[in-house]
C-alpha cells in the first residue's frame, strides 16, 4: 500500500550561509515563535513558493499545546497561497512567477497508496501500534507554510495555479478547510434528498454544511452552541440549526425528523460526545462521516450501534490533496457556489503571528479563521 | 426511511380449534422446548411453508441464554427450507408444492427502506435509544422456522424456488450463514488482489472466507483457535491461517504482510478483542467489515483509529434477504463455486431439537451447524 | 432478473354497468380523444386515485403520432397527482382521502429486478429481439392518468403522500420530469467541481440542468436553440448557454473548456445529433448520460469513441419510481432547492385535453408543460 | 483533466556514437524489422530496463498492418519484463539490478487525469475530432519493449518488482493482457452470482473470462469459434462455451439463460458483430463492458438498446497500469488464482521476431501469445 517516502527534512535544509527567512517555529509545548531560518533549497521534484497568504489551523493549536507531537524547530502550517520562486530540475509544466496553492496533504502521485485510490495515505509504512498521519507532510514531517518561503514536494502533483480573478483570501480555505469539509459530505455519499446533520460549526463543520448542500441534501441540520457560528451555518446552507447548549441535540434531531433519523451525520469536532450523538441520530443504514481529529479512545455504545446489525458505516477522511482537487475547489469558489471569505474573520502580518496564535488558540473575538500575510 | 410494518404476530395465530404442529418455543431464559401450537393461517400476502430442513443459529443461542430478548411463546429459527403448503390470496407467481427457501431477513419490498437500497433495515421506526433489528422477523418478531410449518410474510418478495438438482442441505446455509458471510466481503468491497483477514472461523466466518475468495482476494488470512475450523477455512479458500491461541494475531498478520496490513478485515465473532484486532491490522485506507452481533459497548483505541485520520471505514451488514439474493446464492452452490455442506456436521430430527440445542450451545463435538428435519 | 408481472389491464376493467369517468383514450394514430369508460375496480394490492392534476409528456406525443405503439382504447398519461379514493384489501399504511402522487414508473417492489437494484426494469421477461420498456405501466400497459380516476398497482410501493404545504403544481413534475432529469445527473455520477453539458432544454433537460447543479457541478453548459428555454436553463442552474442554431455546440463547448471537454454530458432529446455531440465533448474518462427516447438506430463514430480506448461510459436511465423516490423529490421542492413551477406554462381542464394535445404536440406558444385538471 | 506530457521521443535519443541495441522497428505498412538503434539515455524520472522477456500484442499487428498509425522508426511493443539497468537522477526507492515489469500504459502519477481517478487517460489534451489513446506511450508515442533495452518514463510510478519465485513467463501477461482482461470484469462491476458472457476468447477475452470468475460470477459463457480457445476458456473459468460458427450466439445465450439475458457482457474483439451481440444478450439494467479496439464506426440498433430506456451501461476500459496494479496482478499469479502460462504457446529469440510477427499476425498454429527473449 504505502512505500517509504523519505525526503530531506527541515534539519538538512538549515545549512548555514544561506539567505534567511522568517518562519513560525515550534520550540516546545505552548511555544511557537517567529524566528529566522535559511531559505531552503529545492530538490529535483520540489518547488520553492514565496508565501503571500497563509492561515492557522486547529491542528496547529494541537501542536502548540503539545497534544500532537512534532520535532522541535519545525516550521508550522499547511495552508499555502504563494508565488513559484524556483522549480526543481525535473519539474515540468509550471513556470516561476505563477500564483499557486498546494493542498495541506501532499500526495507523491507515485506511491502505491496514490495508485490505489488512497492518495491522502501516502505515508511511510505502518508500524505496529502506530499509524502515521498519512501523507500529511507540511508542518508535520517537513517545514510548513507559516513562513516567507515553503518547499512543496512532488511539485508536479501538488502545485495548482490560481485563476487570476480569485484573490488570495478567496482560495485560502481550499488547501485544507474546504477540502476536508467537503470530504465529509463526499465520504458520506450524500445523495439528492438526503437529510444530513453536521455536528460542530467551526470552519471545517461549516464547509461540511456547504458540502452537504452542494451535493443535494435537502434538509441540513447544523449543530453548535455559538450563535454566530449557527448564523454562518445558515448562510453556508443549513436549513435548521440546533443549539446544543439549549436542547439535547439527539432528541431534537429525532424530533425534527419525526423519529426517522438522518441519512448522513458528519462529525466535525473530534470528541466522544459529538461522535456518539452522530451515531445516535443515524437512520438504520445511515452513515457517520467523521472529520474530527480525536485525542482519546472512542466508545461505540451498543444500542447506538444496533449491536452491529444496523447496516451502518463509519467513515473517516483525511483532507484530499493534489492539484486536481485544488483545481476543483477553486472552481467551486470561482463559480460562486460557495463563498468561504466569510470564514476569514481576522487578519495579521506574519510578524504578528504569535498574536494570531494567541487569539486563535483561545477562540477569542468570534474568530473563525485568520489570514496571515508575510 | 422505514415505515411501520405491523403484522399479526404469533399470539393471534394461536387460536384454539386449529390443527396442531410441533415447534421449538422460547419459554424462558435457558429453556427452548419442543411443544405444540396451531398451524397458522396465512394473510393475503403470506405463504405457509411446510419445513423440510432447518437449522440452529448462534443468534438462537443468544435467545436461549436470554441475551437477546424475544417474547415468551415465540417459535425460534430463521433458516427455512420447505414446500409451499398454502399461498395467500394476493400472492401470484408461485404454486403450492414448490420447494423453496426464504432468507433469514424478510424485506417487505414496499417499505421506504427497501426502496432506498437498504432492504435489510425494513423495520418499525427508530425510537430514541433503541434501534430495532431491522427487517429480521422470523424467530424474532414473528414465529420462526424450527417447526413443522412457517408463515413467510411478503411471500412474493421472499420465496425463492430451489433448483431440483440441489438437496436441502446444499441450500440450508443460504438463508443466513452464506448470505451474511458473503456480505462481509461485499460490504468490505473486496477487490482483485486484496489481502483480507477474517477474524473467527465459525460458520459465518468460514463463509466470509469463501466470499473473500469468490470476490478475488489473493491473500486470505483466517484467524481462529480451533484447529479443525482452520482446516475447514483452508478448504473454503484461506491462503494462511493464524491460531490466535498460539500467536498474537495482530503481530502475526503484520508480519505476514510485511508491515503493510490488510485491505479488508472481516469481524465475524462479535467481541471487543476481534473488533479491535481487525482495526489494528488495517492498512491506511482499509475497511473493517463487521458481521458480529455484539453484546456490549465497543472501544475504538485512538492509535488503532489513526486519530480519525486514516481514511478508514467501519461497515456493518445485516444478512441480505429476498428471493433475488437467495437465487444468487443458490447459483453459487449450483455452480460448484462454494460447497457449504462441510458446515453441516450433525443431524437431528425436530423431535430431538432440545438435544441439538444442547450440543450446539455448548459447541461440543466440533459442531459447526446442525441440520434439523421435521 | 425480471419475472412476469401480468395484471388485469384496461380491457378487463371496462365491464358494463359501472359508474363512468372521463379519460383521454388512444384511438388510432393521431387520435387521442376524451371519452368515457367505467371507473375501474381495485385489486387487493391496488389503490384507486381520484386525479386532481396531471400533465402531458413528450412520450404521450410519441404515442399520439403512432411512433410508440400502445393498444387501442388505452387511457394515456403517467404523471398523477390525486386523492386516494379506495384501497385494495391487502393495502396497509395508507388512508382514503390522502393526497398522493405516484411515479411514472411503478415498480412492484417484489420482482427480482426490484430486488437487484434495478426497480425501473420491473417488466416481463425479455423476448429475443424485443426488450419491453421495463416497469413503465401507466398509459403503456395499463390505463393511465389522463382521466378522472387511476388505478395505481402495488400501491404500498408506489403511493407517496404529498406534504400539505405543497400545491399540486409544485409536485406535478415529480412523477416523471424531475425524476428523469435528476437521474441524468445521478447516473452520470456528477461530482463536486464537475463540468457538465446538457443537450436540449425541454422539461427533462431543464431538470437535468437543475440536477447537475444540485449535485455540485460547478460549470453547467446548457444547449438548445430556443432562447426562452435557455433563459429558463439559467434560472435552473446553467452557468453558460449555447445556442446551437448559432454556433457548433461541440466546437463551442471545447472552446469554453479550453479543449478539455466535459466530465459528464447529458443527452435529453433522443436524436443522433445530440447523442453524437454529447460523445464528442466528453473528456477522456467522461460519461455520457442518456435520457432521450430514441426512435432510430444510433451511430457511434470511431473517433468520438476513441476507438473504444477512452475509459468512457454511456449510461441510460429510465425514470426512477416508487414512493421513496417521490418522497425525496418532494423534499427537493419543499426545501426550495428547485422550483419546477416555471415549467408549467399552460393550464387546461381535462375536458379540453384535446386542445392541450394540439398545443403541446406542436410546441406552440412557448409551451414547456401543461397542467390538466379534471 | 489532462495536461501536456511531452517527453523526448525516440528521435532525440537516436544520437550517433552511442552503444547500440537491437530493436523491432516500424518501417512502413507491413514492415516491422529488427534493426539497431542506440541504447537510450535516461532522463531524471526515467529508468532504463534491460529486457529479458517481452511479447507481441494484437495492437502491434494493427500497427504492422498500418491500421493504427505510429511514426516511422519507432520501436514497437508494450509488455516488458526486465532488469533495471540504470535509474534517472531523481528516482528513489528502486535499485539497479532489480527484476521488474511495467504496465503497457504508463501513467505519470502527477497528471490531472491520474489525480482524478483516470490514470490510463494520462495523455495530451484532447483536440477537436481526435482523442489520443490516453496514457499509452510504449510503442505508440515513445520507443517500446521489443528491444534489448527500454526507457520506462515516470519510473517511480511504473516499475513493479517481480517476486523472486515467479518466472518471466508467469508475469509476462500482467503488463497488458491480464490487466486489460480483468478490467473487463471490473468495469462491468461483476458481482457474486452474476451471469457473464465473454465475446471472443483471444488472450484478452480469456483473461476477461478469468476475471469474471475471480470476481464471483457463477455462470460464465465464453463465445468463440476456435475449439482450442474454447477449451482454454473452460480452463480459465468458463462454465459454458458457445461456438458461434455453429449456433447464433445471441439465441444460444438467451436460451441458456432462459430468456433472462446476462448481467454483464464483455466484448473482447473490437467488431460490430460482437459489440451488437453483447448488447442484445444484456438483461434490462445490464452492462456491456467493451475491451476491443474498434476500427470503424459502431451501430447501436434501437431495439437492442431498448430505445434508450433499458438502464444499461456501455463502458470501455483502457489497460490499467502503474506499479500497484502490477503488484496486484502478480499477486493473482503468485497465489495460484490464475495461471496465464497456458497463453504462451510459442517462443522466439528477439533475433527471430520477424518470424514471430509472421506467425502471430496470421494466427497460425493455434498461437495465443509468443514469448520473445533478447
Amino acid at each position: 500500500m504505502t512505500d517509504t517516502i523519505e525526503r530531506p527534512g527541515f534539519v538538512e535544509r538549515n545549512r548555514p550561509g544561506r539567505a534567511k527567512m522568517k518562519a513560525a517555529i515550534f520550540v516546545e509545548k505552548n511555544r511557537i515563535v517567529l524566528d529566522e531560518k535559511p531559505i531552503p533549497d529545492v530538490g529535483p521534484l520540489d518547488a520553492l513558493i514565496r508565501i503571500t497568504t497563509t492561515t492557522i489551523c486547529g491542528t496547529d493549536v494541537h501542536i502548540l499545546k503539545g497534544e500532537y507531537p512534532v520535532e522541535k524547530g519545525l516550521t508550522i502550517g499547511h495552508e499555502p497561497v504563494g508565488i513559484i520562486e524556483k522549480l526543481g530540475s525535473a519539474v515540468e509544466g509550471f513556470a516561476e512567477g505563477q500564483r499557486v496553492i498546494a493542498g495541506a496533504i501532499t500526495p507523491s502521485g507515485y506511491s502505491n497508496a496514490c495508485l490505489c485510490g488512497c492518495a491522502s495515505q501516502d505515508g511511510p509504512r505502518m508500524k505496529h501500534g502506530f499509524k502515521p498521519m498519512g501523507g500529511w507532510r507540511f508542518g508535520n514531517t517537513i517545514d510548513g507554510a507559516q513562513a516567507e518561503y515553503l518547499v512543496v514536494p512532488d511539485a508536479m502533483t501538488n502545485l495548482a495555479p490560481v485563476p487570476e480573478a480569485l484573490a488570495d483570501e478567496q482560495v485560502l480555505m481550499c488547501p485544507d478547510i474546504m477540502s476536508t469539509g467537503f470530504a465529509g459530505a463526499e465520504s458520506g455519499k450524500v445523495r439528492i434528498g438526503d437529510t444530513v446533520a453536521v455536528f460542530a460549526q467551526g470552519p471545517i463543520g461549516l464547509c461540511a454544511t456547504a458540502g452537504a448542500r452542494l451535493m443535494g441534501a435537502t434538509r441540513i441540520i447544523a449543530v453548535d452552541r455559538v450563535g454566530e457560528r449557527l448564523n454562518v451555518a445558515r448562510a453556508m446552507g443549513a436549513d435548521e440549526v440546533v443549539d446544543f447548549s439549549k436542547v439535547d441535540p439527539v432528541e431534537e434531531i429525532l424530533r425534527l425528523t419525526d423519529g426517522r433519523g438522518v441519512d448522513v451525520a458528519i462529525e466535525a469536532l473530534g470528541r466522544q460526545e459529538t461522535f456518539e450523538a452522530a451515531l445516535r441520530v443515524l437512520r438504520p443504514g445511515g452513515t457517520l462521516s467523521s472529520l474530527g481529529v480525536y485525542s482519546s479512545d472512542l466508545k461505540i455504545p451498543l444500542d447506538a450501534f444496533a449491536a452491529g446489525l444496523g447496516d451502518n458505516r463509519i467513515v473517516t477522511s483525511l483532507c484530499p490533496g493534489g492539484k486536481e482537487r485544488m483545481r476543483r475547489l477553486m472552481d467551486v469558489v470561482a463559480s460562486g457556489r460557495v463563498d468561504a471569505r466569510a470564514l476569514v474573520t481576522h487578519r495579521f502580518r506574519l510578524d504578528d503571528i504569535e498574536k494570531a496564535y494567541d487569539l486563535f488558540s483561545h477562540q477569542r473575538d468570534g474568530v473563525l479563521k485568520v489570514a496571515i500575510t508575510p
Side-chain angles (χ1 to χ4, degrees), chain A residues 80-313:
Chain A
V81 186
I83 308 286
I84 298 177
E85 181 83 13
K86 194 175 174 190
L87 292 168
S89 58
V91 178
E92 298 177 351
F94 293 89
E96 288 165 15
Q98 272 186 299
R99 192 160 64 110
V100 294
I101 59 173
I105 305 298
T106 47
S108 67
Y110 53 77
S111 68
N112 289 69
C114 284
L115 295 165
C116 194
C118 204
S120 293
Q121 297 297 328
D122 188 6
R125 284 171 189 277
M126 180 167 64
K127 286 178 192 65
H128 186 193
F130 177 69
K131 293 183 183 181
M133 297 302 110
W136 174 28
R137 296 191 264 181
F138 287 144
N140 180 26
T141 61
I142 63 173
D143 273 343
Q146 291 165 11
E148 289 178 295
Y149 293 93
L150 170 74
V151 170
V152 176
D154 298 310
M156 288 189 286
T157 305
N158 289 299
L159 295 180
V162 180
E164 229 177 293
L166 297 180
D168 275 24
E169 283 195 10
Q170 284 182 286
V171 299
L172 182 59
M173 298 301 114
C174 295
D176 184 350
I177 299 307
M178 199 181 274
S179 190
T180 301
F182 288 4
E186 293 165 318
S187 297
K189 298 192 192 296
V190 169
R191 296 190 296 174
I192 291 178
D194 269 359
T195 297
V196 176
V198 184
F199 286 85
Q201 296 294 311
I204 283 177
L206 288 165
C207 283
T209 294
R213 178 81 178 227
L214 260 183
M215 291 183 74
T218 46
R219 193 167 196 189
I220 302 169
I221 305 168
V223 182
D224 207 294
R225 63 170 180 186
V226 180
E228 181 49 34
R229 293 187 169 202
L230 292 175
N231 289 340
V232 181
R234 285 191 188 278
M236 300 295 274
D239 297 280
E240 323 236 17
V241 298
V242 171
D243 180 340
F244 72 84
S245 71
K246 294 184 180 152
V247 293
D248 176 86
V250 173
E251 279 181 14
E252 180 64 6
I253 290 169
L254 290 179
R255 190 188 67 77
L256 286 168
T257 59
D258 197 22
R260 185 182 159 271
V262 305
D263 299 288
V264 180
I266 302 178
E267 202 285 343
L269 187 62
R271 299 257 176 82
Q272 173 67 29
E273 306 89 276
T274 41
F275 177 84
E276 185 170 332
L279 205 55
R280 288 193 183 284
V281 299
L282 285 186
R283 69 160 169 85
T287 298
L288 192 175
S289 181
S290 167
L291 297 175
V293 183
Y294 300 90
S295 47
S296 59
D297 295 349
L298 286 169
K299 188 181 81 170
I300 299 180
L302 183 67
D303 60 340
F305 199 48
L309 299 175
D311 282 309
N312 292 119
R313 279 165 299 284

Side-chain angles (χ1 to χ4, degrees), chain A residues 44-85:
Chain A
L45 295 172
D46 298 338
L48 182 70
I49 303 303
R50 179 168 56 77
I51 296 295
T52 54
T53 308
T54 186
T55 177
I56 300 175
C57 181
T59 312
D60 301 332
V61 175
H62 282 293
I63 292 173
L64 173 66
K65 295 182 176 173
E67 294 165 359
Y68 184 92
V70 300
E71 281 191 59
K72 292 180 183 186
L74 187 80
T75 303
I76 304 306
H78 50 261
E79 296 164 278
V81 186
I83 308 286
I84 298 177
E85 181 83 13

Side-chain angles (χ1 to χ4, degrees), chain A residues 229 345-346 359-360 362-370:
Chain A
R229 293 187 169 202
T345 52
H346 295 74
L359 174 92
F360 187 75
H362 294 93
Q363 290 287 301
R364 276 202 295 266
D365 194 23
V367 64
L368 282 168
K369 288 286 279 187
V370 301

